[in-house]
């Protein structure tokens, strides 16, 4: 049973139809399909299983298991009706979910076995054999259907932009997944636009009329994150003077976006796992749980495989979050998108008529952009505030130093500010100081924000905000 993991009992019963009918109506019914990312191929699939009786008086009987729940037993109303008298009337409950096949013994008299082990509830993701009582054996085999994902037909998906092939492939995947309720994990470096993509998925989904709630797991104070996520009741702890509705409940009937999920404290991960499994939340100090109807999208710039190996992140929670997994490419892998992005930023800043010279555009496309799209936007904004792209601020290298730009003389920011209004000049100089100070500070501490905040004597949440503002890579 290498493919089995213990989970909780799933929800209500829905009976699927035949494989042939579902193949015919694949596109029509995709919004309710069990989409997941295959860990070996990386492709998108619809989760399905075939259940076949291989031993016992009902040998050769079979059942296709699709989205929903099927019952196995001797009762006439079961989806797979057996005649073996050692099998209970309602012996086994099988539910197909994105993370696998949930196998639940329904309190049978003679038990359900995997090898010599009597099981209560397991989750299967691969082939397995189950024994019902002493005689009947069932073989479970995956019957997944691959889903073809083509190039997205447009250069924009929500607020995200890209005409490169890698981005249009990503848009195509997300557009397809958006129409299901599958949990989605976005992986990618800081500043690649994961939040914009998550919101675009929400806006395309059937939940578009509900709330889109963003939770920055890295910015919330550690001692408050439990209360912020799950809520609390009055008197639950010192300072809890009134009931508080948590952000998970605020996302009811909508989408919950868990940004920087890799920063979630280990002690809170079991509570989040319960939310994903049960779709219910229990506020701090409350004795009863409350049902929530949410779709979860998570994102991180951390190496999740390394976090799993080091024990910093629970494996069962990871697999719950990564039902569908998508990698957001860094800007250096799609430099052909830079002109499109620059034009978009100029429109946002009220300068749609401004055109960058070929030299400036070549300079932008030569840079590797460790801060990704966010860094590009900041450079465009800084250049615009200086009033001339002939003096475009040079991007900062990963080592925190301005990149060389041929024979161009170093830019004297103070000289450029002398003819500007005092407030504007002061603001630009402060921005330059903050960017340079923070870049060098984080470099000294290998991107560790907590240690950097301790040395600087400022709150780590403030550093998080500055990192996002300036698109500074942390390397974490």
């Amino acid at each position: 049973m290498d493919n089995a993991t213990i989970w909780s009992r799933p929800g209500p019963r829905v009976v699927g139809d035949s494989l042939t009918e579902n193949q015919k109506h694949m596109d029509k019914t995709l919004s309710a399909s069990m989409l997941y990312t295959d860990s070996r191929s990386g492709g998108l699939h619809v989760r399905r299983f075939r259940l076949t009786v291989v031993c016992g008086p009902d040998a050769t009987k079979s059942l296709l298991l699709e989205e929903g729940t099927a019952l196995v037993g001797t009762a006439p109303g079961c989806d797979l009706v057996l005649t073996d008298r050692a099998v209970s009337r309602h012996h086994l409950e099988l539910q197909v979910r994105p993370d696998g096949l949930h196998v639940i013994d329904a309190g049978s008299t003679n038990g359900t076995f995997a090898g010599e082990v009597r099981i209560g509830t397991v989750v299967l993701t691969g082939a397995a054999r189950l024994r019902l009582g002493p005689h009947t054996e069932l073989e479970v085999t995956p019957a997944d259907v691959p889903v073809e994902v083509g190039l997205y037909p447009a250069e924009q998906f929500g607020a995200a932009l890209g005409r490169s092939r890698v981005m249009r492939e990503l848009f195509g995947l997300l557009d397809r997944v958006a129409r299901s309720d599958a949990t989605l994990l976005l992986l990618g470096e800081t500043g690649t636009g994961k939040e914009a993509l998550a919101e675009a998925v929400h806006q395309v989904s059937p939940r578009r009329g509900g709330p889109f709630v963003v939770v920055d797991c890295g910015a919330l104070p550690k001692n408050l994150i439990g209360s912020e996520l799950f809520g609390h009741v009055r008197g639950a702890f010192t300072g809890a003077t009134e009931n508080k509705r948590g952000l998970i409940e605020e996302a009811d009937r909508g989408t919950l976006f868990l940004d920087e999920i890799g920063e979630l404290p280990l002690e809170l991960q079991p509570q989040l796992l319960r939310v994903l499994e049960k779709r219910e939340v229990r506020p701090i100090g409350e004795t009863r749980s409350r049902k929530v109807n949410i779709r979860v999208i998570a994102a991180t710039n951390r190496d999740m495989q390394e976090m799993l190996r080091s024990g910093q992140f629970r494996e069962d929670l990871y697999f719950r979050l990564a039902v569908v997994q998508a990698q957001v490419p860094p800007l250096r892998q799609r430099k052909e998108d830079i002109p499109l992005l620059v034009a978009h930023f100029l429109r946002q800043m009220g300068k749609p008529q401004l055109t960058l010279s070929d030299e400036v555009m070549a300079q932008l496309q030569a840079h590797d952009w460790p801060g990704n799209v966010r860094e590009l936007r900041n450079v465009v904004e800084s250049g615009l505030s200086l009033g001339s792209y002939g003096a475009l601020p040079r991007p900062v290298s990963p080592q925190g130093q301005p990149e060389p730009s041929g024979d161009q003389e170093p830019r004297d920011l103070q000289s450029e500010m002398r003819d500007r209004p005092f407030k504007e000049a002061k603001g630009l100089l402060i921005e330059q100081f903050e960017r340079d100070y923070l870049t060098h500070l984080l470099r000294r501490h290998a991107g560790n924000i907590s240690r950097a905040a301790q040395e600087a004597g400022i709150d780590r949440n403030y550093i998080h905000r500055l990192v996002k503002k300036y698109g500074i890579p942390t390397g974490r």
Side-chain angles (χ1 to χ4, degrees), residues 16-37:
D17 50 7
S18 72
L19 175 62
T20 303
E21 291 171 340
N22 269 267
Q23 284 175 330
K24 291 178 181 178
H25 300 287
M26 174 70 70
D27 289 334
K28 182 178 178 181
T29 62
L30 187 59
S31 61
S33 294
M34 296 289 96
L35 293 173
Y36 80 101
T37 301

Side-chain angles (χ1 to χ4, degrees), residues 395-416:
V396 177
S397 71
Q399 291 72 37
Q401 301 296 331
E403 290 193 340
S405 55
D407 298 330
Q408 182 180 347
E409 291 296 322
R411 184 169 60 93
D412 185 347
L413 184 62
Q414 293 189 20
S415 297
E416 294 172 4

Side-chain angles (χ1 to χ4, degrees), residues 97-136:
R97 298 177 67 176
D99 59 317
L101 177 65
H102 291 236
V103 180
I104 306 105
D105 184 275
S108 66
T109 302
N110 293 317
T112 301
F113 294 83
E116 299 301 316
V117 179
R118 182 166 181 166
I119 63 172
T121 301
V122 296
V123 175
L124 305 176
T125 57
R129 277 209 177 195
L130 304 171
R131 192 175 80 252
L132 279 56
H135 309 300
T136 295

Side-chain angles (χ1 to χ4, degrees), residues 407-433:
D407 298 330
Q408 182 180 347
E409 291 296 322
R411 184 169 60 93
D412 185 347
L413 184 62
Q414 293 189 20
S415 297
E416 294 172 4
M417 293 296 101
R418 286 173 186 156
D419 297 327
R420 291 190 165 281
F422 174 80
K423 185 176 180 180
E424 182 180 340
K426 179 182 176 182
L428 288 171
L429 286 170
I430 289 174
E431 283 192 2
Q432 185 68 38
F433 165 76

Side-chain angles (χ1 to χ4, degrees), residues 360-378:
V360 171
M361 189 59 72
Q363 178 188 346
L364 295 177
Q365 291 187 302
H367 182 54
D368 274 345
W369 300 105
N372 293 294
V373 178
R374 187 180 296 132
E375 183 188 0
L376 174 62
R377 190 187 194 285
N378 290 334

Side-chain angles (χ1 to χ4, degrees), residues 149-209:
V149 178
L151 294 178
Y152 195 66
E155 297 178 347
Q156 184 164 358
F157 182 63
L161 295 171
R163 61 169 60 108
S164 60
R165 183 177 183 86
V166 66
M167 286 302 289
R168 290 178 60 203
E169 286 176 346
L170 176 62
F171 292 166
L173 170 66
L174 297 182
D175 181 61
R176 195 76 142 150
V177 172
R179 304 173 198 285
S180 77
D181 245 359
T183 303
L184 171 64
L185 178 62
L186 298 172
L187 302 174
E189 298 176 7
T190 297
T192 50
K194 298 186 290 294
E195 182 175 336
L197 290 167
E199 187 166 7
V201 168
H202 170 73
Q203 292 300 335
V204 172
S205 77
R207 295 177 174 269
R208 66 179 68 89

